[in-house]
Amino acid sequence: MRIDGFSIQGSRPTQQDAYAVGTGGDKAYCVVVDGMGGMIRGDEAAQRALSASVGVLDAGGSPLDAVLAAQAAVHRWASQGGILGRTGATMAVAAVNLRDGTLEWASVGDCRVYLFKGGRLSRLSLDHNVSSEMVLLGRGPVPGPAGEMITSFIGIENLTEISTSEAPLPLEAGEGVLVVSDGVYRSLHEDRIAMALSRGSDARGILQEVEAQGRPYQDNATLALVIL
C-alpha cells in the first residue's frame, strides 16, 4: 500500500492549503483542506478544520464524522471571533478500510475525491458551486467565475451540502483514491494524473507535473492519495 501527500506553494502570499495522511484504527486516510482566499483568515480556518478532522480519523472515525467535526470546530472559532460566514475552507476526506479494502469519502466545496481504477481516474465527489447547482436543476452549467462561486464550505453558518459515499466502495490491489484541491485539477487534466499514477508516480511526482505547466498565477495545489 502507498499512502502519501504533498503540497506546493502557489501564488498567494500565504499558504491556504493543508493536508494530512495517516492511519487510524483499521483505516488509512487522507485529507485535503483549502482555505478560502477571498475570506478572512482562510488559512487559519483550514488549519483548524484539518486538526479537528485528523483527531476524528486517528480515533477510527469516518470521513463524514471528520467533516462534521471540522465544521463544528471552525463554526465555533468563527462565532467566537465575530467572523462567522466570513471565513471558511473547502475540504475532502477519504479513508480506506485496511481489513476489507473498502473506500469511504466525504467532501464540502470544490476539493475533490477521485477513484483510481483500471488505469483511469473517475470523480466521486460533487462540487458545491453555482454551476453544479444549476446542472442539478436542469438549467445547464454556468461558465466563468460566476459558476465557480462556492455554495457550501466548512465554516458556513448552516452546513447542509455535503458530498459523501452512500456505501463503502470495494477496491482491489493497485487501485486507490486521491483527494485534491482545485489548484490540481485546474492545472492538470485528469487523464494526465491517471497516466502518472499508472507509471507508479506518487503525489510528489504529480505535483511536479502541475508545476511544469508554468502557469503564471498557479493556485496552491495539494494532493494526497492512498493506493492499495
Side-chain angles (χ1 to χ4, degrees):
M1 181 186 71
R2 185 168 83 244
I3 174 171
D4 57 19
F6 294 95
S7 176
I8 62 171
Q9 175 66 48
S11 59
R12 295 173 181 167
T14 58
Q15 176 63 281
Q16 299 283 344
D17 288 9
Y19 76 90
V21 294
T23 57
D26 54 6
K27 299 175 182 177
Y29 66 78
C30 48
V31 185
V32 167
V33 189
D34 185 359
M36 298 175 72
M39 289 189 161
I40 300 170
R41 296 164 69 181
D43 53 346
E44 187 171 353
Q47 291 295 335
R48 289 178 179 273
L50 181 70
S51 178
S53 63
V54 167
V56 169
L57 293 164
D58 281 344
S62 71
L64 178 57
D65 290 336
V67 164
L68 294 175
Q71 166 66 9
V74 175
H75 191 285
R76 180 171 57 253
W77 162 71
S79 296
Q80 293 170 349
I83 55 174
L84 182 61
R86 294 188 291 147
T87 187
T90 66
M91 73 181 299
V93 185
V96 176
N97 190 308
L98 300 178
R99 292 183 303 171
D100 60 14
T102 56
L103 165 67
E104 293 180 281
W105 55 269
S107 69
V108 177
D110 60 0
C111 287
R112 290 181 177 177
V113 180
Y114 286 98
L115 172 68
F116 177 63
K117 185 181 180 72
R120 296 184 178 182
L121 213 59
S122 303
R123 178 152 59 107
L124 299 176
S125 59
L126 174 70
D127 291 345
H128 297 123
N129 57 28
V130 171
S131 186
S132 293
E133 285 197 352
M134 292 299 101
V135 170
L136 290 175
L137 293 172
R139 300 179 184 176
V142 178
E148 296 173 0
M149 290 182 61
I150 301 298
T151 57
S152 183
F153 57 90
I154 299 298
I156 196 171
E157 187 169 358
N158 295 300
L159 180 61
T160 58
E161 293 181 275
I162 303 174
S163 182
T164 186
S165 47
E166 295 182 359
L169 181 66
L171 298 178
E172 297 181 0
E175 300 175 350
V177 59
L178 294 82
V179 294
V180 302
S181 66
D182 64 329
V184 175
Y185 62 78
R186 296 187 192 282
S187 303
L188 199 63
H189 194 276
E190 295 165 5
D191 290 345
R192 289 279 300 275
I193 299 174
M195 288 177 60
L197 289 173
S198 296
R199 295 194 303 265
S201 180
D202 60 8
R204 186 188 300 276
I206 295 170
L207 290 177
Q208 287 175 345
E209 293 203 33
V210 171
E211 290 183 297
Q213 302 303 305
R215 294 168 63 95
Y217 301 103
Q218 172 63 50
D219 193 3
N220 293 324
T222 300
L223 181 149
L225 62 86
V226 176
I227 303 292
L228 290 181

